[in-house]
Amino acid sequence: HETGGYRHLLFPETQRSKLQHRRARINQQINKEMRMRAGAENLFRATSNHKVKETVALELSYVNSNLQLLKEELEELNSSMDVYQNDSESISVPMIPLGLKETKELDLLVPLKDLISEHYGEEGILFEKEIKEFMELRQAMRTPSRNEAGLELLMEYYNQLYFLDSRFFPPTKSLGVFFHWYDSLTGVPSHQRALAFEKGSVLFNIGALHTQIGARQDRASLPGLNQAIDAFQKAAGAFNYLKENFSNAPSLDMSAASLNMLVRLMVAQVQECVFEKMTLLRAHTPQERTAYVYSLVHQTMTQAHVKDYVPFSWTTMVHVKSEHFKALSHYFAAIALCDSASDAELPEQEKAFIQFHVTMPEGPSLRVLLQDPEERRKLGKAHLKKAIMKHEEAMRIHGLCKILRKMDILQEVLSFAHKRSLSKYSEIDHEEDFFETGDAPDIHPKTHQKPEIKSPNFSQVKVTDLFHRLGPLSVFSAKNKWYPARRVHLMRGENGFGFTLRGDSPVLIAGVIPGGCAEAGLKEGDYIISVNGKDCKWSKHAEVVQLLKSTGEEGVEIDVITLQGSEGPKAVSHILGLRWETAEDVPHTLLVWSKKSKRSKKSTYGIPFTAVGDNEAMY
């Protein structure tokens, strides 16, 4: 790995927060302009007065040009890749990190208190502490630290959304709150009532944070490189998971085309780090694979749906890297040819060249060529000529982008590689060379180190349901409905109370004995929620039995609920349906979000007759 005493001065930490504040301010201005545009468009459609129409059209053109300027300013901000780079003294080519999606504050106090009162029949005010705790967690995840703790915070919030969804988002009714998020690249705001939008945006930020952590690593060292590889693999995994589990996203950064581009970009950055690792370990290998994956990214970035959206600096950077790594692959091929090989190494070299050359060089067979130092030099020279052409192309493309021109470190890397190839060319160029330097064969994008992507591991951050006190989710969820709680006063008869119990948390009335004391007030399928004022929603079978047995002559007061549709709720599948809202905001089509791994036995919604091992017993 070629290193030098070059110092890449980084912005101090405060620069990052300044960047966030500037981005937030531009986002607010964009939001304001968007509102003005919406108002003007409505007026334009509504009025038939020609004079008013002309005035509104003029105002619209001002608003649109303001929006364009704001978006350009935001692009320049988001292209500040160096803010997220490491501060090592060695030369590392900058990587492309993503900025986080910004979101507005969200006040859930009143909506959740109202729903707790209406749906759960509990005093909403008694759950203020839990609601505030959830809101504090959301507030904290808006600005996560750029490290493992920040990732855990985002993951914790993401996992809490599963409980929020199960508790407070009935399939037929909206909670009435809007989730506001800004596009990570353009700053264009979107809002929806669907919790899927909130989940998807948090997942996007998990991926974006991984990209920032990857870009910060010192890739001059092996541990730094391994951490960068891991971070970019996890970023690719997060974006891929989002692409596979969400569709019809309201913002461009989460569209299938953008996510596909981001997955490819992250895979290319992994491949680049793998190349750097091989170089660091002195295993010089042609790097056509890295060039190939970057040319794939470049193709994706220039497609119709993505071209006008991706910052020009990104597209240029990817194009530069594609040419740069093609040049390096030809340079390393030349180095391998120019180093004389011993007889023992020849078969291995021959195998390597057969693998990476797309077509065989013209002239003598490969074995004869490799045994002849002069033929090796000729082919090496052809590869160097191609390397120099590719270096020059990379430098030309780099010069087209104002933002990249400011990145001295990239200029330094390209210039260094170019000079190195020129120097090697003049070293092997003989004055008496009369032959025309041939055209070197292209090199295959083959590698044993094909990068993998790492899907998010949601179970690594354990969370407990903040609204645990509402009762077990198997019964007390947004999907289920039950009749108001009934209080039944029972006296013990000669044969006990006259009912049988089954199950745990909550305990179920399995049967009522005809003619028994309980027949007047209890029904089969009722759930016991309290005994003599003691909350029993989470109580085990044995605990409820003990409470019943300890009652005296005065009898016992039992609070029970009956689920609507007394046969119990329909069993639900392990796949949780999520929807983006449609423009008309109708009860909606869409999206299946698979969370098999997250569902515990607690959250299947059938009455737990068979799920419990307790034998039915009579009391």
Side-chain angles (χ1 to χ4, degrees), residues 433-556:
D433 278 353
F434 297 117
F435 62 85
E436 180 89 15
T437 305
D439 193 20
D442 286 332
I443 294 173
H444 266 303
K446 278 188 180 172
T447 179
H448 300 301
Q449 300 262 346
K450 199 167 181 184
E452 57 178 277
I453 65 175
K454 295 182 178 176
S455 291
N457 178 11
F458 299 112
S459 60
Q460 77 185 46
V461 178
K462 301 279 183 276
V463 297
T464 51
D465 178 5
L466 288 176
F467 298 93
H468 176 270
R469 286 194 298 133
L470 288 171
L473 265 175
S474 56
V475 173
F476 300 95
S477 71
K479 287 187 173 72
N480 290 337
K481 289 184 178 174
W482 49 90
Y483 297 106
R486 308 189 313 280
R487 179 160 292 175
V488 181
H489 188 89
L490 296 177
M491 303 299 290
R492 193 198 297 271
E494 284 177 26
N495 298 319
F497 292 109
F499 58 84
T500 54
L501 297 179
R502 180 182 281 157
D504 281 327
S505 313
V507 173
L508 178 83
I509 307 283
V512 178
I513 292 148
C517 309
E519 194 178 23
L522 295 180
K523 297 202 295 284
E524 187 182 323
D526 281 351
Y527 286 104
I528 297 176
I529 58 170
S530 82
V531 175
N532 284 337
K534 180 177 170 17
D535 191 302
C536 292
K537 292 192 197 85
W538 284 100
S539 298
K540 298 282 185 220
H541 189 103
E543 292 165 346
V544 173
V545 170
Q546 195 51 48
L547 285 171
L548 292 170
K549 281 183 174 171
S550 61
T551 56
E553 291 175 7
E554 70 282 1
V556 64

Side-chain angles (χ1 to χ4, degrees), residues 90-153:
S90 63
I91 297 187
S92 290
V93 180
M95 292 291 185
I96 297 178
L98 269 85
L100 298 182
K101 285 173 78 70
E102 310 273 346
T103 179
K104 282 187 179 178
E105 278 188 43
L106 184 65
D107 191 350
L108 287 168
L109 198 57
V110 174
L112 291 190
K113 272 167 42 176
D114 287 352
L115 198 130
I116 288 168
S117 302
E118 286 168 30
H119 186 77
Y120 290 91
E122 304 266 7
E123 293 268 352
I125 201 162
L126 299 177
F127 286 84
E128 273 192 5
K129 180 174 167 285
E130 285 92 335
I131 299 169
K132 282 178 179 165
E133 196 177 331
F134 179 83
M135 282 163 60
E136 280 165 15
L137 178 62
R138 188 182 191 275
Q139 188 63 14
M141 76 81 210
R142 290 174 70 191
T143 50
S145 52
R146 208 164 287 110
N147 53 25
E148 203 58 43
L151 287 167
E152 281 184 15
L153 180 64

